[in-house]
Amino acid sequence: MIMVFVYILFGKKPTKDRNPYEPGSSTKMIWKQIQSRPFSLETSSGYPEDLRDYLETLRGKETFLYSGNRDLIYEEIRNTYPDERGEVLFAIYNAFIFFVKEREVIESDTDLTELEKLTEIKRIMDDTFPPWVREKIFQNHPLTPSRLLLASLRDYIAKNPLTFSRERKRMFIKLRKEIYVEKEREIRHWEDEEFWREIVSLIYSREMAEMQDWEKQEYSFKKLEEFKLDFWN
C-alpha cells in the first residue's frame, strides 16, 4: 500500500495542471517512514501547534513570496526545524500541495455534480494522507455532514426529477440517518434555518412549481414549521 501511495504522490508525471516540482530522494524516504511511525507528531515536541495554518502559510509564501520556488520553502523549514522535524514537515507539505492541486482540479470540473466532487475530494484526501496526518490537518467541521446531506438530496432529485414530496422526504430521512449515523442529535444543533429552507425547497419543488409567489411563500413557511417540529424537538 505504501509503495502505491508513494507512486501516486511522487511518481506520477506532472501535467500542465500540476506543479512540476519533484521532491528529492530524502523527502521520499521520510514520507515512507511517516507511514510507519504514526506517533511522531504526537510524542515529539516542537512541531507547529496548528499544522493546517502552518502549511497554508507556507503555501502562500511559495506562491507570492518565492514565485513557486519550493527549494526556498525547504530552506525556510530547515532553518526553523534543523533536525528530523524539518524533513517530516517538508514531506507533509509536499503531500498537502499535491492534495490542494488535485482538489482544485476536481472543484473546477463542470461535469461533476456537487456530491461527486465531495466524494472524489474525500477519496483523494484518504489516498494521500495517512489517517493520523489527515486528522492533524483537516479538522472535522460540524457542518460537513449537513453539506454532504444537502448534496446527496440534490443528487437524488436530479436523478429522479419526477418524484413527489412524499418520496423525496422519505429519501431525505434515509440519507440523514446514513450520513449522521450516531451523531444525529449532536449535528442537528448546527442545522440552521437556511439549511432547512433549502431542504424544504428541494423536497416540495414540484408542488410549488405552479404556485403564485405569495402561495409559495406561505406554503414553504408552513412546511418549514412542520420540519422544525419533526426534526428540531
Side-chain angles (χ1 to χ4, degrees):
M1 179 64 185
I2 180 62
M3 292 309 296
V4 173
F5 171 72
V6 170
Y7 170 77
I8 292 173
L9 182 59
F10 298 120
K12 293 171 66 176
K13 296 298 182 182
T15 68
K16 63 181 180 180
D17 295 319
R18 296 198 181 98
N19 191 315
Y21 180 86
E22 284 291 337
S25 58
S26 62
T27 303
K28 296 178 185 179
M29 186 178 300
I30 286 291
W31 187 255
K32 291 180 184 180
Q33 295 174 1
I34 287 174
Q35 180 74 19
S36 61
R37 293 164 55 198
F39 52 83
S40 58
L41 288 185
E42 297 291 344
T43 59
S44 300
S45 61
Y47 280 100
E49 185 172 339
D50 189 332
L51 187 57
R52 175 64 178 270
D53 182 69
Y54 177 75
L55 296 173
E56 290 286 9
T57 299
L58 290 178
R59 184 164 75 101
K61 287 184 177 182
E62 180 180 341
T63 302
F64 300 108
L65 184 62
Y66 299 144
S67 302
N69 188 340
R70 198 168 302 176
D71 291 335
L72 295 178
I73 290 294
Y74 177 73
E75 290 178 13
E76 178 171 330
I77 293 174
R78 294 290 291 160
N79 285 337
T80 308
Y81 303 96
D83 52 18
E84 185 189 55
R85 292 173 301 166
E87 297 292 344
V88 171
L89 289 170
F90 186 62
I92 292 175
Y93 177 73
N94 277 285
F96 179 69
I97 295 301
F98 170 84
F99 167 75
V100 167
K101 291 193 173 294
E102 291 294 296
R103 183 184 63 193
E104 289 172 351
V105 171
I106 294 168
E107 290 177 339
S108 64
D109 190 338
T110 56
D111 292 332
L112 297 177
T113 66
E114 181 184 3
L115 179 60
E116 289 170 336
K117 290 179 181 180
L118 290 173
T119 302
E120 184 64 8
I121 289 171
K122 185 178 186 306
R123 184 189 69 78
I124 295 294
M125 183 188 298
D126 291 346
D127 287 348
T128 302
F129 301 100
W132 63 278
V133 176
R134 187 168 64 243
E135 291 169 5
K136 281 289 184 181
I137 299 175
F138 305 99
Q139 301 296 325
N140 289 327
H141 193 282
L143 290 179
T144 297
S146 298
R147 183 186 176 195
L148 179 59
L149 174 58
L150 196 55
S152 299
L153 183 61
R154 287 198 192 104
D155 186 76
Y156 168 78
I157 293 173
K159 293 175 180 176
N160 302 274
L162 300 181
T163 53
F164 282 96
S165 58
R166 183 175 180 179
E167 178 60 23
R168 293 181 181 187
K169 186 174 182 180
R170 186 195 69 79
M171 179 54 64
F172 166 74
I173 294 172
K174 179 175 180 290
L175 290 169
R176 192 168 189 257
K177 289 180 178 179
E178 290 176 353
I179 294 171
Y180 287 9
V181 198
E182 305 93 359
K183 296 185 177 181
E184 188 169 348
R185 287 182 174 274
E186 175 185 334
I187 297 172
R188 74 177 184 178
H189 296 295
W190 295 93
E191 298 172 335
D192 58 15
E193 194 148 326
E194 181 76 22
F195 167 82
W196 283 103
R197 278 198 293 266
E198 181 68 19
I199 294 295
V200 167
S201 176
L202 287 169
I203 290 178
Y204 297 101
S205 59
R206 285 201 68 182
E207 286 81 353
M208 293 190 290
E210 304 300 324
M211 295 181 184
Q212 299 292 327
D213 287 343
W214 67 270
E215 291 177 306
K216 290 180 183 178
Q217 291 180 3
E218 186 175 300
Y219 185 82
S220 61
F221 177 79
K222 177 183 176 182
K223 292 301 179 183
L224 180 59
E225 293 301 307
E226 290 178 5
F227 268 73
K228 287 180 180 179
L229 290 174
D230 289 342
F231 296 100
W232 283 8
N233 293 327

